[in-house]
Amino acid sequence: MKKTNDVILQTVTKIITFMIILFSIDLFFSGHYTPGGGFIGGLMTAAALLLILLAYDIKTLQVILHVDFKLMTATGLLIAILTGTGALLFNEPFLKHAFDYINLPILGETSLHTAVLFDIGVYLVVIGVTMTIIQTIGESE
Amino acid sequence: MINLPLLPILIPFITAAVLMFFPKRIKAQRTISIISSLGAVIASFVLIFTIRQNGIQTVNLGGWDAPFGITLVSDMLSALLVAATSIITLFVIWFSFYYMDEGHERHYYYVAVQFLLVGVNGAFTTGDIFNMFVFFEVMLISSYVLIVLGGKKEQLRESFKYVLINVISSALFVIAVAYLYSIVGTLNMAHVSERIAEINQPGILTVIAIFFLLVFGLKGGIFPLYFWLPGSYKAPPIPILALFGALLTKVGIYAIIRTYTLFFYHDTGYTHMILGVLSMLTIVVGVIGALAYRDVKEIIIYNIIIAVGVILYGVSVMTPEAIEGSIFYLLHDMIIKAALFMLAGIMIAIVGSSHLKDMGGLIKEYPWVGWTFFIAALSLAGIPPFSGFVGKLLIVQGGFRAEEYIGPGLILLSSLLVLYSVMKIFTNGFWGTPKEYHGLKASMAFKLWIPTAAVVVIAIAYGVGAEAVRPFITQAVEPLVNPAIYIEAVLKE
């Protein structure tokens, strides 16, 4: 079969991917006060990566984003567990979260919550698992 | 240390996450997983002694008070089960160093085993019915991985059945929890129990009780719901089978014990009669299977089903004595099933087949395997100095005290047939004329034998030291007979 020319799909992908990733990051950070959070954010990021896979191929994605998604899953899991385990150091029950208002240089007074660290773990696990599934099925003949 | 009940869950969980980083480095995988399992064993023993001194231990995760957050509750029953689980996992991991081929070990085998330990320990410890569902899923998903790992034709076929049946039963579990929640409006098990006592268990709750029996019976393999078990358990390699046989069905049994003593104890005439009848039928079916087959794996698999029936019969009687017997027998059965599967694994490794017609005269070259098997077989059947005796004795006594005669009679008869079924392995496999075997060398078999013998020694110690174990079991029975103790420990009123 002759290879088709995907110039329109590829050009659109270049622009759209960044928008999807920005949207996913917005969803991720809005999780505490509005609908959103680690799970939907991670799925959305994975969707952006999937679009790259559709428009290009697996090798291109590896060039752009040189990560092993299995390690990403492991890292996310470890971050999530250790966030919960951190409470043990202060003799608090597991998963006890803490928050505080901190003055950051640019953002001003911001409420920082350790639940976000847990959510980062969820976010990484979701991306890692989704991409591992897609890549493994895609690579097997 | 207020997080003590959490440690047997947390240690394997962290280990599993760490092991995911370097799946190809087998030495590191082995070392880390054995050290962490040892850690889990130590933590669970510290937990047992803390409970012995200070009563039931609870942790409110995240610091949210009892009915609102997730509570982990370690009473003596769950602590003992957690300890047994951790010990078995430790020795099975040791066993699989020599038994598993490299293909398994390089593809996240130890990770899956650690996750299995997380799920089983979690299901034993949790005090929240939905959280129990989540831990069931953690356990089941890692068991899906373990059953299919290796990708042989038989494994693929059986894992398909196994996954299908468990997906259905998990969906039923969610539906049952939804019904329960719509009536009592809470998920915390102590709080559920309190609310059910307030409304005095109307008819709909009896329906839910039967629903839970269906769900947990599917996981635990009671009479009409055991059909998936023999085929699925035959597929995976022996160490995985030892873990499944020793742990997975017991989680279903534990869940039945917990719900039937904590939630649904008001209308026992109906629910517990059904449980009693089903458990007797389970014994019958298991015995028929154990007598019918001449395959080592299948004989022991049907013995799992018999044990499920015996334990649940003790629960259905609901006298303190019978429940105590059930707990005794439950712990004994976890240990001895692991030991028997490991011994069968050694035989299969030597002979290269699991069918009795290919075996004979093994005692000539492998006397240590033979006599270990002999002791394990006596122990399974419940010959007095060994571990199966006290449990069955108490169950039978409890049954007679409750003026039931069919159940205890059936249990006594089943013991005889259990003994016959395992002695069939012994006489056909170890006695007779030796044959030519092309399996393992004797030195390799000896390496496999060490962890196996250790498990058998634990079983013997459990039987001989029944006097020392008894106070722990008695303490485990207290909250089962009197749910107020459990409720008070969790809700702290």
Side-chain angles (χ1 to χ4, degrees):
Chain A
M1 202 178 87
K2 194 165 164 281
K3 197 177 180 326
T4 48
N5 192 343
D6 292 336
V7 70
I8 294 178
L9 177 63
Q10 292 182 345
T11 315
V12 171
T13 301
K14 278 176 195 160
I15 303 161
I16 295 284
T17 302
F18 285 102
M19 290 183 183
I20 300 177
I21 288 182
L22 275 178
F23 181 45
S24 78
I25 291 172
D26 179 58
L27 277 175
F28 172 75
F29 278 110
S30 63
H32 202 83
Y33 295 107
T34 50
F39 185 77
I40 185 71
L43 271 185
M44 196 61 93
T45 310
L49 300 179
L50 181 61
L51 186 61
I52 296 177
L53 275 181
L54 283 177
Y56 299 88
D57 53 11
I58 288 177
K59 282 193 187 112
T60 319
L61 182 68
Q62 271 165 354
V63 171
I64 300 170
L65 198 65
H66 193 71
V67 286
D68 182 346
F69 287 106
K70 289 189 202 100
L71 291 187
M72 190 187 240
T73 315
T75 317
L77 199 56
L78 204 60
I79 291 174
I81 302 169
L82 290 181
T83 312
T85 317
L88 266 65
L89 298 178
F90 305 98
N91 204 23
E92 292 281 350
F94 183 69
L95 282 175
K96 172 101 181 168
H97 288 287
F99 72 100
D100 205 356
Y101 294 95
I102 293 168
N103 265 314
L104 292 178
I106 303 166
L107 297 169
E109 190 178 310
T110 321
S111 126
L112 292 182
H113 200 297
T114 50
V116 177
L117 293 175
F118 186 84
D119 238 15
I120 288 176
V122 176
Y123 179 76
L124 292 177
V125 169
V126 171
I127 299 176
V129 169
T130 318
M131 293 313 291
T132 311
I133 294 172
I134 292 168
Q135 274 192 342
T136 323
I137 295 175
E139 275 168 359
S140 68
E141 290 295 318
Chain B
M1 187 69 187
I2 52 170
N3 285 293
L4 190 58
L6 195 75
L7 285 185
I9 308 171
L10 200 56
I11 292 171
F13 196 12
I14 294 176
T15 315
V18 170
L19 288 179
M20 281 171 79
F21 282 99
F22 38 83
K24 308 288 178 215
R25 296 177 60 183
I26 295 174
K27 264 217 170 101
Q29 293 266 320
R30 287 176 174 180
T31 327
I32 293 176
S33 51
I34 202 122
I35 290 172
S36 91
S37 308
L38 202 63
V41 172
I42 293 167
S44 57
F45 273 98
V46 173
L47 181 59
I48 286 178
F49 288 105
T50 315
I51 294 169
R52 181 91 190 108
Q53 282 183 336
N54 305 332
I56 298 173
Q57 301 288 308
T58 61
V59 193
N60 294 322
L61 294 189
W64 300 100
D65 278 339
F68 306 113
I70 293 172
T71 316
L72 293 184
V73 187
S74 263
D75 63 347
M76 189 51 98
L77 172 61
S78 61
L80 287 172
L81 290 171
V82 163
T85 307
S86 308
I87 291 172
I88 289 165
T89 316
L90 175 70
F91 286 109
V92 170
I93 288 175
W94 184 1
F95 187 83
S96 35
F97 287 176
Y98 309 111
Y99 197 93
M100 283 310 206
D101 50 39
E102 218 184 293
H104 268 96
E105 289 183 302
R106 289 165 73 91
H107 287 94
Y108 299 95
Y109 168 69
Y110 294 109
V111 177
V113 171
Q114 294 293 332
F115 272 123
L116 190 78
L117 188 58
V118 174
V120 175
N121 279 350
F124 285 145
T125 313
T126 185
D128 182 291
I129 193 77
F130 193 77
N131 199 234
M132 182 184 263
F133 168 75
V134 175
F135 276 121
F136 262 91
E137 286 305 300
V138 171
M139 171 187 96
L140 287 172
I141 289 173
S142 28
S143 76
Y144 301 157
V145 174
L146 287 172
I147 205 170
V148 81
L149 197 62
K152 293 205 182 70
K153 196 176 165 192
E154 193 196 4
Q155 284 180 310
L156 292 175
R157 187 184 64 227
E158 294 303 332
S159 69
F160 190 78
K161 290 182 198 163
Y162 181 74
V163 172
L164 188 66
I165 211 74
N166 276 304
V167 166
I168 291 170
S169 81
S170 297
L172 288 176
F173 194 173
V174 175
I175 294 168
V177 170
Y179 278 146
L180 186 66
Y181 185 71
S182 73
I183 291 159
V184 295
T186 178
L187 290 171
N188 184 297
M189 279 153 66
H191 203 209
V192 169
S193 170
E194 205 181 48
R195 290 256 169 105
I196 289 177
E198 274 168 20
I199 53 177
N200 203 18
Q201 194 169 338
I204 184 73
L205 277 165
T206 308
V207 174
I208 295 172
I210 297 300
F211 222 137
F212 271 114
L213 184 64
L214 276 178
V215 171
F216 298 137
L218 261 173
K219 316 263 185 200
I222 65 172
F223 162 60
L225 309 166
Y226 72 97
F227 52 87
W228 56 272
L229 194 145
S232 300
Y233 278 23
K234 212 176 160 236
I238 284 289
I240 296 170
L241 177 53
L243 281 178
F244 282 17
L247 307 179
L248 295 195
T249 50
K250 286 11 172 224
V251 180
I253 295 173
Y254 166 79
I256 291 178
I257 296 179
R258 191 54 91 196
T259 48
Y260 272 59
T261 56
L262 189 61
F263 294 175
F264 311 113
Y265 58 91
H266 304 278
D267 187 16
T268 54
Y270 186 70
T271 49
H272 288 60
M273 184 204 60
I274 288 187
L275 184 63
V277 171
L278 288 184
S279 56
M280 283 185 240
L281 289 172
T282 312
I283 298 175
V284 172
V285 168
V287 166
I288 292 173
L291 293 181
Y293 285 98
R294 290 183 60 79
D295 182 296
V296 178
K297 271 190 193 176
E298 266 167 341
I299 292 171
I300 305 176
I301 286 170
Y302 275 99
N303 271 301
I304 300 178
I305 298 174
I306 301 173
V308 169
V310 172
I311 296 165
L312 287 180
Y313 176 75
V315 176
S316 76
V317 174
M318 275 300 260
T319 58
E321 210 168 22
I323 294 180
E324 193 174 351
S326 286
I327 309 295
F328 242 112
Y329 200 76
L330 179 58
L331 289 166
H332 145 78
D333 192 62
M334 289 171 83
I335 299 169
I336 205 71
K337 285 285 145 57
L340 277 173
F341 277 120
M342 285 153 89
L343 282 162
I346 300 177
M347 291 169 73
I348 293 168
I350 294 168
V351 178
S353 155
S354 64
H355 204 281
L356 280 177
K357 72 175 185 316
D358 302 323
M359 299 180 180
L362 280 170
I363 202 133
K364 196 118 193 165
E365 256 187 278
Y366 306 94
W368 15 281
V369 181
W371 295 117
T372 322
F373 187 89
F374 185 70
I375 292 171
L378 291 186
S379 193
L380 178 74
I383 305 293
F386 301 118
S387 59
F389 174 66
V390 187
K392 259 184 195 163
L393 178 72
L394 287 169
I395 293 176
V396 170
Q397 268 185 355
F400 282 137
R401 287 266 158 80
E403 297 194 343
E404 290 193 29
Y405 300 101
I406 304 173
L410 204 60
I411 289 175
L412 292 175
L413 185 65
S414 79
S415 306
L416 193 66
L417 298 171
V418 163
L419 186 64
Y420 173 73
S421 72
V422 277
M423 276 308 148
K424 190 167 65 181
I425 302 178
F426 184 71
T427 48
N428 285 303
F430 288 97
W431 290 353
T433 36
K435 294 180 181 170
E436 282 277 310
Y437 300 122
H438 306 287
L440 280 178
K441 288 192 200 78
S443 63
M444 202 61 192
F446 190 71
K447 277 184 187 163
L448 287 174
W449 176 75
I450 298 171
T452 314
V455 179
V456 176
V457 167
I458 291 171
I460 295 171
Y462 180 69
V464 175
E467 197 67 41
V469 185
R470 183 89 191 256
F472 293 93
I473 309 271
T474 315
Q475 197 184 355
V477 173
E478 279 167 14
L480 299 182
V481 181
N482 183 7
I485 299 173
Y486 187 94
I487 295 170
E488 202 171 311
V490 177
L491 298 178
K492 298 197 177 70
E493 282 155 348

